[in-house]
Amino acid sequence: DRARAMQGAMRGLSPEDQARMRDMMGRFTPAEREQLKRLVQKTPPEQREGLRATLLGMTHEQRLAYLDEHA
């Protein structure tokens, strides 16, 4: 399931952004990945690309704070 979700999340990304996405996801704990999943699910589909760009532009610490605030 995780592999299939990652394929969807990587769709349309440049190779550089794909590497950043793998790094981001690899740093999350299972609980943090669940928070991210909930955030993505409640984000309207037309806004998900923007969410992805926002998260990729953050440091890991910023992402954790963002998840705590928004998920």
Side-chain angles (χ1 to χ4, degrees), residues 2-71:
R2 267 184 65 198
R4 191 172 35 234
M6 275 296 283
Q7 286 176 344
M10 301 274 233
R11 194 172 302 125
L13 291 179
S14 68
E16 178 183 277
D17 283 346
Q18 286 179 15
R20 290 170 54 210
M21 177 69 81
R22 280 191 294 276
D23 179 65
M24 177 180 77
M25 296 305 292
R27 290 173 179 251
F28 285 145
T29 66
E32 292 162 352
R33 283 192 293 274
E34 187 60 34
Q35 278 185 293
L36 177 61
K37 179 182 173 183
R38 285 193 308 273
L39 177 59
V40 170
Q41 288 173 340
K42 75 178 192 179
T43 301
E46 64 274 5
Q47 295 176 11
R48 289 178 185 167
E49 188 172 326
L51 173 63
R52 180 173 62 186
T54 296
L55 291 170
L56 287 177
M58 295 177 169
T59 66
H60 182 66
E61 292 75 21
Q62 290 170 326
R63 286 183 200 116
L64 295 178
Y66 189 89
L67 287 176
D68 285 342
E69 186 176 326
H70 293 92

